[in-house]
Amino acid sequence: MRLIDPMPTDRRPARVALLLAGLVVYGASVGMMLQAGLGQMPWGVLDQGLAGVLGIEVGTGSILVGAVVLLLWLPLHRRPGLGTLCNVVLVGLSINATLAVLPAPDSLGWRIPLLLAGVLVNGLATGAYIGAGLGAGPRDGLTTGIAARGHSVRVVRTTIEVLVLAVGWLLGGTVGVGTLLYALAIGPLVHRTMPAFELRRRLLPTGPLSAAPVAVPPAA
């Protein structure tokens, strides 16, 4: 019995490189939004609130939250991929590294551009690590795992994010205009970036036409 999903057999180096780059940049974008101080994505609010309560770094809080969410996959009979496991660790480490080197601006004139840049970079990074095709993030997998039991993906995702946001806010996480901006912008951004980065699996010929060249779908 496999503990994780097998990797696609084609373009593995490219997939791993895209995954790692996407996760590191994703964590950096979270750090940018945190340093802007104008509100964070729902899961980021939870990470920030938990970190404040436990007295740990925000990225470490992200790792703890990701590990707990991954455990919730077990009753849903979901199996993580390489990208899922890397997501739990690399995003958190990247958040910590970004917060260590990126100073928080004092003026609103710098905080607003930093927030906007963070949201945009997050959309690009999300498209990259999903496009690598090496497994959903733990939080996305929880949503799709629950939805697979006959529930609407939209309802499940909204319910989870509202609960996460509420708990994070009660723990002391920052909710603000950045939270609303992220909620409105991330969907359209990923809608464009995911097809742009997607590494589709090559179609292998079968049957009597096995001598024919491999058909590679055009890049989206």
Side-chain angles (χ1 to χ4, degrees):
M1 177 181 174
R2 288 182 178 271
L3 296 179
I4 66 173
D5 278 338
M7 291 178 60
T9 56
D10 66 305
R11 293 171 291 178
R12 284 183 173 177
R15 291 182 185 278
V16 171
L18 186 60
L19 169 72
L20 298 181
L23 293 177
V24 170
V25 174
Y26 186 98
S29 73
V30 175
M32 293 165 67
M33 287 184 277
L34 282 167
Q35 293 298 63
L38 296 174
Q40 180 61 259
M41 67 183 77
W43 286 99
V45 174
L46 178 60
D47 297 339
Q48 186 184 31
L50 180 64
V53 170
L54 298 179
I56 58 178
E57 295 179 291
V58 177
T60 307
S62 174
I63 293 173
L64 291 177
V65 170
V68 171
V69 171
L70 194 55
L71 289 176
L72 297 177
W73 284 32
L74 295 177
L76 299 174
H77 305 292
R78 301 264 313 168
R79 196 166 56 184
L82 174 65
T84 311
L85 303 179
C86 290
N87 186 300
V88 173
V89 178
L90 288 183
V91 169
L93 294 179
S94 180
I95 292 173
N96 286 343
T98 302
L99 294 178
V101 300
L102 180 66
D106 295 325
S107 69
L108 193 62
W110 284 107
R111 291 165 66 190
I112 291 175
L114 184 59
L115 170 66
L116 295 175
V119 173
L120 177 59
V121 171
N122 188 273
L124 292 169
T126 301
Y129 85 74
I130 293 177
L134 296 178
R139 298 156 184 82
D140 293 330
L142 177 65
T143 298
T144 56
I146 295 175
R149 300 198 163 198
H151 306 287
S152 164
V153 172
R154 180 179 300 177
V155 171
V156 172
R157 185 178 185 95
T158 301
T159 301
I160 290 175
E161 301 238 341
V162 168
L163 288 174
V164 164
L165 181 63
V167 172
W169 177 70
L170 290 173
L171 292 176
T174 304
V175 178
V177 65
T179 310
L180 178 60
L181 174 65
Y182 184 87
L184 294 175
I186 193 61
L189 284 173
V190 174
H191 179 73
R192 291 185 175 275
T193 61
M194 190 170 68
F197 284 110
E198 184 180 10
L199 293 177
R200 295 175 179 169
R201 298 192 185 195
R202 291 191 174 102
L203 303 178
L204 299 178
T206 58
L209 298 180
S210 58
V214 175
V216 183

